[in-house]
Amino acid sequence: MLDLNYLAELRDRYTDALSVKVPAFTLRNKIFDFQKQPHLMGVINLSPDSWYRESVCLTENQAIQRSQLLTLQGADLIDIGAESTLNHAAQIDETLQTSRLIPVIRELNQKNILISVETYQPAVAQACFEAGAAVLNLTGNFESDDLYRPVAEYDGALILCYVQGAHVRAVDNFSFANDMITIMKDYFLPKIDRAQKLGVKRIFLDPGLGFYYKNLQDSERRIRYQMEIFLQTFRLRQLGWPVCHALPHAFENFEEEVRCAEPFFATLALLGKTDLLRTHEIAKVKAVIKTLNALG
């Protein structure tokens, strides 16, 4: 069981990494100061396949209304996707993804809501930035400059996800190592370097804990891995960029109370110094942050 001894061991082993700070940046007039507070990213799913029913919006109007609600609850930006990451969900081609995303992005941009688009398709990313998106949540592992260029051209931000596979819908078994944080650092470094050479000025690093690898269906193994990475998030900050986590769900443990899972995992992610939390439960996670701040 997680206890203070476990946390103390992490502190003693990685003392130097604990003190690392990442610089603030401004994105479309919004300041992201990672020393003052963690930031929140709400979720809108335009795919009917997504399991988190509260986040599914099948019309433009539904998506606009939910985005406004999440913003009022405290979301700093809204992440919108048109294809589910579930391994059994339908894969959506570029044309359909774009037709779902663009009207919503244009409308939210008019309302000054900061938008992230989740995709691994270069054409979709380009079209979304042209429509007003500010962030690319890149769920692919392509060495494609076409995914970095629109981020640089529109002075946006890039979320680099750790993916073992070509993209989130093409993953197989997950390969474990004794120290996955070191593996992730080696994965991120050349991508950061390439993105910066192409002019990207703002980057988040995402360990990709919400992806559906075939051998991570065992709940105990998956949850243990997720907890370990959450608590060691601060080590990724040594790469010089803030860290983003998509909060998972642990269905088998939470069962009918699954909407409590994201606030629980948020606590672990915050203990590990996560800078941006991607969550369907903005109000609940906001309350977690407020409560943890009680100790100063």
Side-chain angles (χ1 to χ4, degrees), residues 47-63:
S47 163
D49 294 327
S50 297
W51 73 270
Y52 216 105
R53 307 317 302 171
E54 292 76 12
S55 69
V56 173
C57 298
L58 299 182
T59 68
E60 179 183 340
N61 191 47
Q62 287 177 345

Side-chain angles (χ1 to χ4, degrees), residues 174-187:
F174 189 85
S175 295
F176 286 95
N178 288 334
D179 184 355
M180 284 304 303
I181 295 293
T182 296
I183 297 292
M184 289 180 191
K185 287 180 177 177
D186 292 341
Y187 171 94

Side-chain angles (χ1 to χ4, degrees), residues 269-284:
L270 292 165
L271 288 174
K273 295 182 179 281
T274 299
D275 301 288
L276 178 65
L277 297 162
R278 181 185 184 275
T279 176
H280 303 77
E281 302 287 354
I282 290 292
K284 294 181 176 67

Side-chain angles (χ1 to χ4, degrees), residues 29-190:
N29 297 320
K30 186 172 186 63
I31 299 172
F32 286 78
D33 189 337
F34 307 106
Q35 309 316 316
K36 288 186 175 179
Q37 61 180 5
H39 295 272
L40 296 176
M41 181 162 67
V43 182
I44 298 291
N45 292 311
L46 302 182
S47 163
D49 294 327
S50 297
W51 73 270
Y52 216 105
R53 307 317 302 171
E54 292 76 12
S55 69
V56 173
C57 298
L58 299 182
T59 68
E60 179 183 340
N61 191 47
Q62 287 177 345
I64 302 302
Q65 289 186 5
R66 181 160 178 80
S67 297
Q68 290 177 304
L69 173 63
L70 294 175
T71 301
L72 287 172
Q73 289 176 337
D76 296 287
L77 68 162
I78 304 295
D79 190 48
I80 305 176
E83 179 183 83
S84 172
T85 58
L86 291 170
N87 52 15
H88 61 269
Q91 287 193 262
I92 310 300
D93 65 30
E94 295 174 351
T95 302
L96 182 53
Q97 281 197 45
T98 303
S99 68
R100 288 176 176 176
L101 289 162
I102 297 304
V104 177
I105 292 172
R106 284 181 177 150
E107 187 67 24
L108 292 179
N109 193 43
Q110 289 292 317
K111 297 181 183 304
N112 294 317
I113 293 177
L114 211 54
I115 308 153
S116 164
V117 60
E118 178 190 315
T119 189
Y120 51 86
Q121 302 280 7
V124 176
Q126 179 69 41
C128 289
F129 273 93
E130 290 173 359
V135 180
L136 170 60
N137 185 2
L138 177 53
T139 53
N141 184 16
F142 301 122
E143 294 297 335
S144 173
D145 291 352
D146 291 338
L147 284 160
Y148 298 150
R149 285 197 181 98
V151 181
E153 180 182 355
Y154 289 91
D155 201 25
L158 173 66
I159 300 175
L160 283 171
C161 293
Y162 178 71
V163 188
Q164 290 188 359
H167 55 76
V168 66
R169 295 303 309 278
V171 297
D172 197 333
N173 287 329
F174 189 85
S175 295
F176 286 95
N178 288 334
D179 184 355
M180 284 304 303
I181 295 293
T182 296
I183 297 292
M184 289 180 191
K185 287 180 177 177
D186 292 341
Y187 171 94
F188 284 129
L189 271 173

Side-chain angles (χ1 to χ4, degrees), residues 154-271:
Y154 289 91
D155 201 25
L158 173 66
I159 300 175
L160 283 171
C161 293
Y162 178 71
V163 188
Q164 290 188 359
H167 55 76
V168 66
R169 295 303 309 278
V171 297
D172 197 333
N173 287 329
F174 189 85
S175 295
F176 286 95
N178 288 334
D179 184 355
M180 284 304 303
I181 295 293
T182 296
I183 297 292
M184 289 180 191
K185 287 180 177 177
D186 292 341
Y187 171 94
F188 284 129
L189 271 173
K191 297 181 187 303
I192 292 170
D193 182 61
R194 185 60 188 163
Q196 288 184 297
K197 283 180 177 173
L198 289 173
V200 175
K201 300 174 183 174
R202 306 168 192 84
I203 297 173
F204 293 93
L205 307 177
D206 183 338
L209 298 183
F211 300 158
Y212 295 90
Y213 295 93
K214 292 181 179 178
N215 62 338
L216 280 182
Q217 304 303 314
D218 173 78
S219 61
E220 183 176 348
R221 188 181 194 189
R222 185 181 70 247
I223 294 168
R224 182 171 60 246
Y225 168 65
Q226 291 168 335
M227 291 176 69
E228 289 172 349
I229 298 301
F230 278 137
L231 293 170
Q232 296 187 47
T233 298
F234 60 93
R235 295 177 60 203
L236 287 174
R237 286 172 133 209
Q238 290 176 302
L239 296 180
W241 295 102
V243 181
C244 168
H245 274 302
L247 299 175
H249 306 103
F251 305 97
E252 302 88 342
N253 288 11
F254 284 87
E255 299 180 338
E256 294 299 317
E257 303 300 329
V258 70
R259 292 190 65 185
C260 298
E262 290 192 11
F264 166 74
F265 284 112
T267 304
L268 303 185
L270 292 165
L271 288 174

